[in-house]
Amino acid sequence: MSDHYVKATVQLEQMKSLDENAEKEGEHPEEQMPVSPPPASLSPDPSSITIADTSSTCKQGSNRGKNRNKSGKDDKNSCGKHITDNVGKNLNRLGHEQALHIKGAGRILQGKLETNGNYVTLHSSKNTQDTRREDGFKQAKKRRPVAVDSSKAKTSLEALKQSIKQLKWKEFPLGRRTACDIYWHGVSFHDNEHIVSGQVNKFPGMIEMLRKINLSRAMRTMQELFPEEYDFYPRSWILPEEYQQFSTQIRMVKENDATVTTTFIVKPDGGSQGDGIYLIRDPSDLKLMTATQAKQAVVQEYIQKPLLIDKLKFDIRLYVLIKSMEPLEIYIAKEGLTRFCTEPYQEPSQKNLSHVFMHLTNYSLNVHSGNFIHSDSQNTGSKRTLSSVLYRLAAKGVDIKKVWSDIIALVIKTVIAVVPELKVYYQADIPPGKPGPTCFQILGFDILLMKNLKPVLLEVNSNPSMRIEHEQEVAPGVFEYVPSPVDEEVKVGVIRDTLRLMDPGHKMPSISHLRAGGFEHGEEIPIEAETQDKTQDQGGALPSMCLKQVYPKYTKQFNYLRLVERIAALFIRFLGVKGNMRLGPTAFRTFIRTCKLSNSNFTMASVDILYIDITRRWSGAMSDSKEAGMGLQAFVEAFFYLAGRRFKSLVLKEQVLSLLELCEAQLESQLGVEDRRSASCSRALPRAVKPQTVGVTNPLLGSPAPLRRASSQDYRLHQRLKPRTLRSNVEN
């Protein structure tokens, strides 16, 4: 037996004794291992582990020795001395990485385990000794707390303060001169105009995109392409521009069947908290004019048979986090709120159309009702947790998993519908190459369950209320804000776990490193999603994550829907000027010429006529726009026209898909020609190959042809896979 083996065995015994002391005295919070145990297949028996690199023993000993008593420190120093004597001389000739041999595994796991539970691959370095010393210094130094600027938080301030306190981060309520890690805005991305780094909790353009008219237009575009997949959004008309169309359709329905009495709900475009909403049964009841101008609004079919609990109508407020757009990452809160009406529901009639406490679920309206109940319990009162309602439905035999599955699909499809326009806003405010922050945002989805349990999207709020207090009359005529346990339970968890996901010290492996066949060679294999949620912070000191990732987790099921996003990529490519959001006539002609869409039957003169016709019509529809030119929605209409003209025998979605593939192929071939010209004119080094991205986030610049074909195959596959309808009746 060699002298080196004997010394290594002694060192291992010393480490075991240190571990026993650590179990008695406790470890430093930042050095504790995650609560969730590793899978059995990756948990080797201690007897089956041998130390292949004794330098790792010294590193582990130094990490465990932070909170030791005096004797513990002596043991640590003694260990460090022995290891330095034996290993220091041989460190320069050790060219291999740290290695942990596990009997029966048939391989060597190289790397280190971070405090968040993720296994990180270590790559070889020429200066191995310097690298290990730097790692030791970094681990010895306590991690700087994350800095959060809360000066613009407004009504979400109290929930944000509690979240920061639970995370033990640093709050700057008045801001600070140096940059913060996270900026929390109460209204929009532009609350603070001087941010050039860090992360902001608002996307540019989100407020504009989620106004009722723009959301309805985006959903209508998707309904034209995928009518069955987007049947969860009620049929809508935009006022005043579609008033004649709305009136004509209603008159024709009544002429065909005089017994039909459809009810409609009118929502002002910029309204919030139920302000200005009313019900009608005839187009003549519309209030189209204000004192000075026509009132912009959306009129929708009213859902006359909602699911009732305790004979009351209710809706669901679900919190959704868009963690990033490139690549697209969506999280859904496992807990939400249910807001109840305060008057027993009856189907609409001419007598009860004005009963807002019966038909409208808005909290801001019903709170003024004498029947509104503030309750400290989560399963009673006029505002309850979503889980309490689901438990009641489950007791009646409802398939809750199916309901959740439908809600998740609704959320993903809605986000896919609004992302194309958001990308145009994003590149206008933060052009590529310009310094700026990254963005994330919490959205509030208002969802109604029909009597057959089908979820219906009512609206999406860009600034959902995160207030955790409610107004209460403590004396006659005296009101003050008091804590709301239901709001606090849900909203603090959503904000806290959003911050945990955006923690700059806990970056998850990016989905952009994945490929169709699995993980790239040599990359770390992340642990299962639920385990990531539980082990992400401080060894289990915080509750498990209340946010669940749904995209890109379900990419295969929904990737085929992202056709409009590919059209938006074409639009952005030909914008030309950074920060621009409109396509000029020259840029539109360049698009036609580059993609070779003109011919003897469709000359460039016809292209100019098409541009003028569509742009003029959209400029009239969007009177509040200050920019001239063709916006994305107008470009999408032109693209649909070109697709229909070129592929007349196909249905619309097949036409659009075929034209997309044609345009992308032309652009790819043109880029190949330009690359060859560049290579022939210079002796530059070959470019590094960019990692492939899953999906169609930028099919023109970063997505190769095989991925576009995969997206097309996804679409054709889903033509045969139609969602099953739920046949279940619930007595109210």
Side-chain angles (χ1 to χ4, degrees), residues 391-583:
Y391 287 145
R392 289 194 59 175
L393 296 179
K396 294 182 178 182
V398 173
D399 186 354
I400 299 303
K401 290 184 178 180
K402 171 62 177 173
V403 174
W404 256 118
S405 176
D406 292 342
I407 290 176
I408 289 173
L410 179 151
V411 169
I412 295 175
K413 292 174 183 177
T414 302
V415 174
I416 287 176
V418 301
V419 158
E421 190 89 24
L422 285 177
K423 287 192 172 183
V424 177
Y425 279 102
Y426 194 90
Q427 63 84 32
D429 277 281
I430 312 175
K434 176 184 175 182
T438 56
C439 302
F440 63 97
Q441 188 156 351
I442 299 172
L443 305 177
F445 277 65
D446 291 346
I447 300 170
L448 182 74
L449 289 179
M450 297 175 63
K451 192 173 183 178
N452 63 359
L453 299 178
K454 177 183 177 180
V456 174
L457 178 66
L458 300 180
E459 62 179 318
V460 184
N461 296 272
S462 60
N463 292 312
S465 172
M466 304 305 284
R467 187 187 291 276
I468 57 175
E469 318 89 17
H470 64 81
E471 196 176 48
Q472 182 173 319
E473 188 174 12
V474 294
V478 180
F479 294 86
E480 68 178 24
Y481 284 102
V482 297
S484 172
V486 177
D487 287 295
E488 184 174 336
E489 171 71 19
V490 176
K491 296 175 182 178
V492 172
V494 170
I495 292 180
R496 180 194 64 230
D497 291 345
T498 294
L499 293 175
R500 290 166 74 180
L501 285 170
M502 304 311 300
D503 182 354
H506 289 305
K507 291 298 183 183
M508 293 293 184
S510 175
I511 194 67
S512 63
H513 295 295
L514 301 182
R515 59 183 179 184
F519 295 94
E520 291 288 346
H521 178 70
E523 292 181 3
E524 65 271 20
I525 300 178
I527 53 181
E528 202 271 337
E530 292 295 328
T531 309
Q532 282 183 345
D533 292 347
K534 294 179 181 178
T535 61
Q536 193 176 349
D537 278 277
Q538 300 184 7
L542 296 170
S544 60
M545 294 286 289
C546 73
L547 295 173
K548 173 186 177 181
Q549 187 192 81
V550 296
Y551 201 91
K553 183 177 181 180
Y554 301 122
T555 298
K556 291 183 179 179
Q557 291 90 324
F558 300 99
N559 200 43
Y560 73 103
L561 298 173
R562 301 176 71 178
L563 294 183
V564 180
E565 197 170 339
R566 292 165 66 179
I567 298 175
L570 287 171
F571 177 79
I572 293 172
R573 175 184 175 86
F574 287 96
L575 281 176
V577 180
K578 290 184 178 180
N580 192 14
M581 294 180 61
R582 301 276 173 164
L583 205 65

Side-chain angles (χ1 to χ4, degrees), residues 138-416:
K138 290 179 181 178
Q139 291 184 3
K141 183 179 179 180
K142 187 176 180 180
R143 190 168 76 92
R144 177 181 64 83
V146 179
V148 181
D149 184 336
S150 62
S151 60
K152 306 290 184 180
K154 298 187 182 296
T155 58
S156 61
L157 180 60
E158 188 59 36
L160 179 63
K161 283 181 176 291
Q162 290 193 27
S163 301
I164 294 173
K165 184 177 180 181
Q166 292 179 19
L167 294 171
K168 299 179 182 179
W169 289 3
K170 182 70 173 176
E171 180 193 2
F172 291 88
L174 301 178
R176 68 171 181 175
R177 294 182 179 178
T178 56
C180 287
D181 299 300
I182 295 175
Y183 297 85
W184 197 272
H185 291 178
V187 179
S188 76
F189 174 81
H190 297 286
D191 285 356
N192 187 340
E193 298 283 1
H194 306 291
I195 303 174
V196 295
S197 63
Q199 302 174 95
V200 180
N201 73 315
K202 302 291 181 185
F203 280 99
M206 187 68 81
I207 292 179
E208 293 79 4
M209 188 59 227
L210 294 183
R211 291 171 72 99
K212 295 174 179 62
I213 288 180
N214 285 335
L215 177 62
S216 295
R217 283 179 173 143
M219 299 301 288
R220 181 183 297 176
T221 299
M222 299 304 292
Q223 286 174 338
E224 291 179 22
L225 290 170
F226 308 101
E228 294 184 5
E229 288 86 342
Y230 281 84
D231 63 348
F232 58 84
Y233 192 71
R235 190 166 52 148
S236 306
W237 295 266
I238 296 169
L239 302 178
E241 62 187 85
E242 295 178 352
Y243 171 75
Q244 292 298 332
Q245 178 184 347
F246 171 64
S247 300
T248 302
Q249 291 181 1
I250 301 307
R251 185 178 66 253
M252 292 177 62
V253 169
K254 290 185 177 182
E255 289 176 354
N256 294 333
D257 188 353
T259 61
V260 175
T261 53
T262 308
T263 304
F264 303 92
I265 183 169
V266 184
K267 303 176 182 179
D269 181 41
S272 62
Q273 300 180 341
D275 183 38
I277 298 178
Y278 60 97
L279 272 60
I280 63 170
R281 309 197 83 178
D282 190 89
S284 61
D285 298 330
L286 284 169
K287 305 170 185 177
L288 292 178
M289 298 296 296
T290 61
T292 58
Q293 60 182 1
K295 184 182 295 185
Q296 290 190 313
V298 170
V299 56
Q300 294 179 326
E301 285 184 312
Y302 181 76
I303 307 301
Q304 302 192 63
K305 296 185 180 298
L307 179 67
L308 304 181
I309 291 182
D310 300 331
K311 298 182 180 181
L312 299 173
K313 179 181 176 181
F314 69 95
D315 76 346
I316 298 170
R317 165 58 61 86
L318 194 64
Y319 296 98
V320 175
L321 169 67
I322 300 182
K323 186 172 181 284
S324 74
M325 279 197 302
E326 198 73 55
L328 182 60
E329 293 187 58
I330 309 170
Y331 290 76
I332 293 181
K334 300 175 185 177
E335 185 63 285
L337 296 172
T338 52
R339 292 93 55 90
F340 283 76
C341 289
T342 51
E343 186 176 332
Y345 180 78
Q346 299 175 7
E347 288 195 18
S349 65
Q350 201 62 41
K351 294 181 179 180
N352 65 28
L353 284 182
S354 60
H355 293 198
V356 294
F357 299 147
M358 175 189 296
H359 296 293
L360 304 184
T361 56
N362 303 74
Y363 166 80
S364 55
L365 293 176
N366 284 278
V367 73
H368 299 293
S369 168
N371 298 326
F372 191 91
I373 301 174
H374 290 289
S375 176
D376 292 341
S377 173
Q378 297 183 6
N379 53 14
T380 60
S382 298
K383 184 187 288 187
R384 313 175 193 177
T385 60
L386 174 59
S387 59
S388 68
V389 170
L390 294 179
Y391 287 145
R392 289 194 59 175
L393 296 179
K396 294 182 178 182
V398 173
D399 186 354
I400 299 303
K401 290 184 178 180
K402 171 62 177 173
V403 174
W404 256 118
S405 176
D406 292 342
I407 290 176
I408 289 173
L410 179 151
V411 169
I412 295 175
K413 292 174 183 177
T414 302
V415 174
I416 287 176

Side-chain angles (χ1 to χ4, degrees), residues 59 123 125-136:
K59 186 174 181 180
H123 302 283
S125 173
K126 294 182 180 180
N127 300 324
T128 307
Q129 184 176 4
D130 295 338
T131 303
R132 292 177 180 174
R133 286 177 179 175
E134 290 175 3
D135 290 342

